[in-house]
């Protein structure tokens, strides 16, 4: 069902296949469709603006048996399990894509969809981290899930929740989740500062947890071993998290951590030919090389140069110009493994793209064993991989579902392969789904638009069959690095230096709606604890919250974001993933206040912020 590692390589396709003639690709269309795939992978209560209409609500009791709210997040691939490690990596890579190419995404009109995709993941990751040293890393398990073939809306499989804590550590899982929250905090810094600060606070805690209580997460969450085993261990995730925390906070502590631990944790020693949800070294080395080129290395310059040397070894291996080159198919696709090879194609292409821009910004070239390589040549490599993925290959097949005319029609995916619950609500049983839907030799009833499937084998062969999970199963982490490359290719030449601070553009708001991410000057939110009591050994706390309209106009269409709430709330109505006015009022006059109360088990208030509102 899953994949394990990552790769790179390129060859001139037209020299191998001189009769093939390809046109240019619509990278903007492919970018737009990528975000639709994330909407199809959503778990939990679907929002009112959900565009993938064949999906419905699912997993609404996740975490309940463990006394924690774990509703939401993403299904990782074609199954109905929520695996924390690949989900966090997906969020990290989506965030990195926006940090580098948010301007291009904004110009293509996709920035708001990109930010929504990240927030769907970070909202869940915040829930999964209810205490500084507790992190839930999986909901459901692969064994019971794979025994059944059910759409998410019908699933009867186990929804047990699995966690790491000081007695059952998981530094790789905690480190990757810290990286995801730190990277995402940069994305939200301008348009939702309160949320960004919340993410960064969790990232600090998770890094401290990962570093202090060291261990592999799959030794603690053993049900993950068959699906997302941590082959590389946790050293790479500690460096990866430190790099992102430095980038997000600019705190010297994290830069020192990279400098002082680079040798011991392998960052300066490993020359990689892969990058992905398990092995992060090439990503760390690329980030640290950027810090060095930005002039931020300080007294760690000598160590950072060793990181950069290893980053460049990866780039040269991708190009086939290094000492240890990566295998490629006859058609020019880099190839690492049979199972979901395309994840490695997209991740390697992203690193090559950003490093090309770093080099161009610094006025430098890549140093390979065979000689210097210009930044455009490195970018051309990434483009060749993306073009292959989109159809420039010996089979003339697009490996993105819904792009072009020839793409996989029998995707190994429960939701897309079973008729939508909105078309036929008849319950699909665990084993009945195999008999009725899995074994059908027909196209999927629901189009999984934007999904990147596993892709062809080492010889460019591909079989579009639902039971061919190695080639036809998609995954969220296949698309995450690709969105950055697509935005870059669609946007053409960059108009800013990649080594200078980049301000992520604001998504274009609804003209009727005033966006106010934090408690704005128009609105005040005050909270206080009013009482507490102990019942059956557990302490409960009652909080009162007051929302005040400080403007001179009538407040309408208020939406509040409430996180770190571990209990019930009264006085507001739940609407999708937000809270709105209660049923008995629809506005708040100037100077008036509204009280809400909640009872939960945390000795600290919930985080309440304003998402949006209008003034009339």
């Amino acid at each position: 069902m899953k994949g394990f590692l990552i790769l790179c390589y390129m060859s001139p396709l037209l020299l191998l296949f001189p009769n093939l003639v390809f046109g240019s690709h619509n990278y903007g269309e492919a970018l737009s469709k990528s975000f639709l795939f994330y909407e199809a992978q959503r778990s939990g209560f679907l929002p009112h603006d959900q565009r993938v209409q064949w999906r419905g609500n699912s997993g609404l009791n996740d975490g309940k048996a463990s006394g924690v709210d774990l509703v939401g997040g993403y299904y990782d691939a074609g199954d109905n399990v929520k695996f924390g490690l690949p989900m966090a990596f997906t969020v990290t890579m989506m965030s990195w894509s926006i940090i580098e190419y948010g301007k291009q995404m904004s110009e293509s009109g996709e920035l708001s969809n990109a930010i929504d995709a990240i927030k769907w993941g970070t909202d869940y990751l915040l829930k999964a981290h209810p205490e500084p040293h507790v992190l839930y890393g999986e909901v459901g398990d692969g064994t019971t899930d794979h025994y059944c073939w059910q759409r998410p809306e019908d699933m009867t499989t186990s929804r047990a929740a699995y966690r790491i804590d000081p007695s059952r550590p998981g530094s790789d899982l905690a480190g990757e989740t810290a990286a995801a929250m730190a990277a995402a905090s940069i994305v939200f810094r301008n348009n939702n500062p309160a949320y960004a600060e919340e993410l960064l606070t969790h990232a600090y805690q998770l890094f401290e947890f990962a570093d202090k209580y060291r261990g592999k997460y799959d030794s603690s969450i053993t049900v993950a071993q068959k699906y997302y085993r941590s082959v590389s261990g946790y050293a790479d995730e500690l460096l990866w998290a430190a790099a992102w925390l430095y980038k997000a906070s600019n705190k010297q502590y994290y830069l020192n951590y990279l400098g002082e631990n680079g040798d011991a944790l392998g960052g300066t020693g490993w020359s990689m030919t892969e990058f992905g949800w398990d092995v992060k070294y090439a990503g760390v080395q690329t980030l640290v090389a950027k810090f060095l080129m930005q002039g931020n290395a300080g007294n760690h310059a000598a160590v950072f140069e060793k990181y950069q040397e290893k980053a460049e070894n990866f780039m040269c291996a991708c190009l086939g110009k290094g000492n240890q080159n990566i295998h490629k198919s006859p058609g020019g696709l880099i190839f690492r493994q049979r199972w979901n090879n395309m994840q490695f194609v997209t991740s390697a292409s992203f690193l090559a793209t950003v490093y090309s821009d770093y080099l161009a910004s610094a006025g430098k070239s890549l140093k390979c064993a065979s000689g210097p390589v210009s930044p455009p040549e490195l970018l051309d490599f990434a483009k060749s991989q993306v073009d292959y993925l989109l159809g420039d290959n010996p089979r003339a097949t697009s490996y993105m579902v819904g792009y072009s005319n020839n793409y996989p029609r029998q995707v190994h995916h429960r939701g897309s392969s079973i008729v939508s619950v909105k078309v036929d609500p008849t319950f699909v049983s665990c084993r009945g789904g195999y008999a009725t839907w899995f074994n059908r030799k027909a196209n999927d009833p629901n189009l999984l638009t934007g999904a990147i499937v596993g892709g062809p084998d080492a010889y460019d062969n591909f079989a579009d069959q639902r039971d061919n999970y190695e080639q036809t199963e998609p995954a969220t982490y296949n698309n995450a690095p690709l969105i950055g490359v697509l935005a870059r290719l669609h946007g053409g030449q960059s108009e800013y230096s990649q080594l200078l601070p980049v301000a992520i553009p604001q998504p274009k708001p609804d003209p009727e709606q005033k966006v106010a991410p934090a408690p704005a000057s128009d609105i005040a939110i005050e909270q206080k604890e009013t009482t507490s009591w102990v019942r059956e050994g557990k302490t409960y706390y009652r909080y009162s919250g007051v929302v005040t309209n400080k403007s001179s106009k009538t407040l309408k269409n208020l939406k509040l974001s409430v996180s770190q709430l571990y209990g019930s709330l009264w006085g507001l109505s739940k609407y999708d993933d937000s809270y709105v006015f209660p049923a008995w009022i629809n506005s708040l006059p100037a100077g008036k206040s509204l009280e809400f109360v909640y009872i939960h088990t945390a000795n600290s208030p919930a985080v309440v912020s304003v998402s949006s509102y209008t003034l009339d």
Side-chain angles (χ1 to χ4, degrees):
M1 185 202 106
K2 315 301 173 209
F4 278 128
L5 303 151
I6 289 198
L7 49 3
C8 270
Y9 210 134
M10 154 186 150
S11 88
L13 188 62
L14 292 180
L15 291 177
L16 292 166
F17 299 94
N19 295 324
L20 294 179
V21 178
F22 301 119
S24 60
H25 285 286
N26 189 333
Y27 301 117
E29 177 191 346
L31 177 65
S32 299
K33 289 182 172 178
S34 288
F35 294 117
L36 289 173
F37 170 59
Y38 285 108
E39 294 193 18
Q41 295 300 108
R42 285 171 170 170
S43 181
F45 291 97
L46 301 185
H48 68 281
D49 57 355
Q50 170 83 6
R51 293 177 296 170
V52 179
Q53 288 295 307
W54 52 265
R55 278 297 321 283
N57 298 333
S58 62
L60 302 185
N61 292 313
D62 284 358
K64 187 174 182 179
S66 300
V68 62
D69 176 9
L70 296 177
V71 177
Y74 289 111
Y75 302 117
D76 74 300
D79 55 19
N80 299 326
V81 185
K82 296 192 295 200
F83 291 99
L85 183 58
M87 192 191 308
F89 177 71
T90 296
V91 170
T92 307
M93 293 308 297
M94 284 197 291
S95 299
W96 195 358
S97 291
I98 292 180
I99 290 166
E100 300 289 355
Y101 303 115
K103 179 176 180 290
Q104 289 89 336
M105 287 189 198
S106 179
E107 290 171 350
S108 70
E110 290 298 325
L111 182 59
S112 61
N113 289 325
I115 291 177
D116 287 347
I118 290 174
K119 193 170 187 296
W120 194 267
T122 52
D123 283 351
Y124 173 80
L125 295 178
L126 289 171
K127 291 180 177 183
H129 184 225
E131 302 172 36
H133 293 164
V134 173
L135 177 64
Y136 285 85
E138 184 171 332
V139 177
D141 71 86
T143 301
T144 60
D145 183 90
H146 287 191
Y147 181 74
C148 299
W149 193 263
Q150 292 176 290
R151 56 196 173 197
E153 297 83 0
D154 285 336
M155 59 184 170
T156 56
T157 50
S158 168
R159 302 304 291 172
Y162 303 88
R163 61 184 252 179
I164 56 172
D165 53 43
S167 64
R168 295 165 293 188
S171 302
D172 30 22
L173 174 63
E176 180 60 70
T177 309
M181 292 191 179
S185 76
I186 301 171
V187 173
F188 290 102
R189 183 174 293 158
N190 292 328
N191 73 337
N192 198 337
Y195 190 68
E197 189 60 34
E198 180 185 5
L199 289 170
L200 196 53
T201 298
H202 280 262
Y204 292 143
Q205 294 174 351
L206 282 163
F207 179 79
E208 190 267 343
F209 174 34
D211 197 32
K212 183 176 181 180
Y213 299 99
R214 295 191 178 187
K216 284 177 56 177
Y217 96 102
D218 60 357
S219 296
S220 300
I221 303 178
T222 56
V223 293
Q225 290 181 1
K226 290 183 179 179
Y227 307 97
Y228 289 103
R229 179 183 293 274
S230 182
V231 177
S232 70
Y234 56 78
D236 51 337
E237 276 86 6
L238 290 176
L239 295 173
W240 178 242
W244 279 111
L245 276 161
Y246 171 68
K247 191 167 178 62
S249 70
N250 205 34
K251 290 187 176 181
Q252 188 68 30
Y253 173 82
Y254 299 104
L255 194 75
N256 292 341
Y257 190 97
L258 290 165
E260 294 165 5
N261 294 280
D263 293 340
L265 295 178
T268 61
W270 286 103
S271 284
M272 305 307 300
T273 55
E274 59 187 82
F275 171 58
W277 61 261
D278 180 30
V279 186
K280 313 292 166 44
Y281 283 115
V284 175
Q285 292 155 356
T286 301
L287 278 175
V288 174
K290 182 178 186 180
F291 301 157
L292 179 65
M293 285 188 269
Q294 287 174 315
N296 295 334
N299 59 3
H300 301 297
V303 177
F304 282 19
E305 285 171 1
K306 292 195 287 184
Y307 278 99
Q308 183 177 30
E309 178 188 351
K310 298 303 185 291
E312 298 212 343
N313 287 350
F314 176 83
M315 306 302 163
C316 295
C318 288
L319 292 167
K321 296 188 175 185
N323 293 320
Q324 183 185 4
N325 293 325
I326 298 163
H327 180 77
K328 65 180 182 301
S329 73
L333 186 72
I334 56 178
F335 190 84
R336 178 67 179 82
Q337 65 182 35
R338 295 184 311 168
W339 202 326
N340 190 17
N341 181 65
M342 205 58 83
Q343 63 177 304
F344 308 132
V345 175
T346 60
S347 294
S349 298
F350 178 84
L351 291 187
T353 299
V354 296
Y355 202 72
S356 168
D357 283 339
Y358 299 164
L359 289 172
S361 300
K364 296 183 177 181
S365 60
L366 177 65
K367 302 177 183 68
C368 293
S370 63
V373 174
S374 68
E377 186 175 346
L378 190 55
L379 183 61
D380 283 346
F381 156 74
K383 182 178 182 297
S384 75
Q385 299 301 295
V386 174
D387 288 348
Y388 182 110
L389 185 156
L390 294 177
D392 290 7
N393 54 65
R395 289 179 50 84
T397 296
S398 165
Y399 294 104
M400 173 183 280
V401 177
Y403 180 87
S404 189
N405 296 319
N406 183 23
Y407 54 81
R409 310 280 177 159
Q410 294 189 30
V411 183
H412 184 89
H413 187 276
R414 285 157 177 77
S416 65
S417 68
I418 302 173
V419 66
S420 170
V421 69
K422 296 180 180 180
V423 173
D424 183 355
T426 305
F427 174 72
V428 176
S429 68
C430 168
R431 300 301 290 175
Y434 274 109
T436 306
W437 297 103
F438 179 80
N439 293 321
R440 287 173 75 239
K441 302 302 179 186
N443 294 345
D444 294 339
N446 308 307
L447 190 64
L448 194 64
T449 302
I452 306 296
V453 298
D457 66 14
Y459 303 98
D460 303 302
N461 299 313
F462 178 79
D464 184 12
Q465 297 167 354
R466 196 168 294 113
D467 60 356
N468 180 20
Y469 49 83
E470 291 183 344
Q471 295 188 327
T472 63
E473 186 173 24
T476 54
Y477 43 89
N478 294 7
N479 287 64
L482 183 66
I483 62 176
V485 187
L486 290 171
R488 173 66 173 85
L489 294 175
H490 179 63
Q493 288 303 312
S494 177
E495 296 179 5
Y496 58 88
S497 170
Q498 220 74 9
L499 300 182
L500 295 176
V502 176
I504 297 169
Q506 295 271 359
K508 298 178 178 64
D510 184 328
E512 297 297 319
Q513 192 174 64
K514 181 173 181 179
V515 177
S521 58
D522 295 327
I523 302 169
I525 300 176
E526 297 179 350
Q527 297 189 78
K528 64 179 180 179
E529 180 186 330
T530 57
T531 187
S532 65
W533 64 92
V534 177
R535 181 180 178 185
E536 296 180 355
K538 182 176 288 189
T539 304
Y540 293 85
Y541 304 87
R542 182 186 187 276
Y543 284 85
S544 168
V546 177
V547 179
T548 303
N549 179 6
K550 298 177 66 178
S551 77
S552 59
K553 299 180 180 180
T554 299
L555 175 65
K556 294 184 177 181
N557 303 314
L558 176 67
K559 282 189 178 181
L560 298 176
S561 170
V562 182
S563 60
Q564 298 186 38
L565 172 64
Y566 310 113
S568 300
L569 184 150
W570 295 270
L572 296 171
S573 295
K574 188 77 183 290
Y575 182 75
D576 292 332
D577 57 352
S578 301
Y579 285 86
V580 299
F581 284 132
W584 53 89
I585 68 171
N586 57 20
S587 64
L588 194 63
K592 297 298 183 180
S593 298
L594 167 69
E595 183 183 20
F596 62 92
V597 298
Y598 57 90
I599 297 171
H600 70 170
T601 55
N603 188 17
S604 58
V607 177
V608 183
S609 59
V610 179
S611 298
S612 60
Y613 63 95
T614 58
L615 295 174
D616 190 1

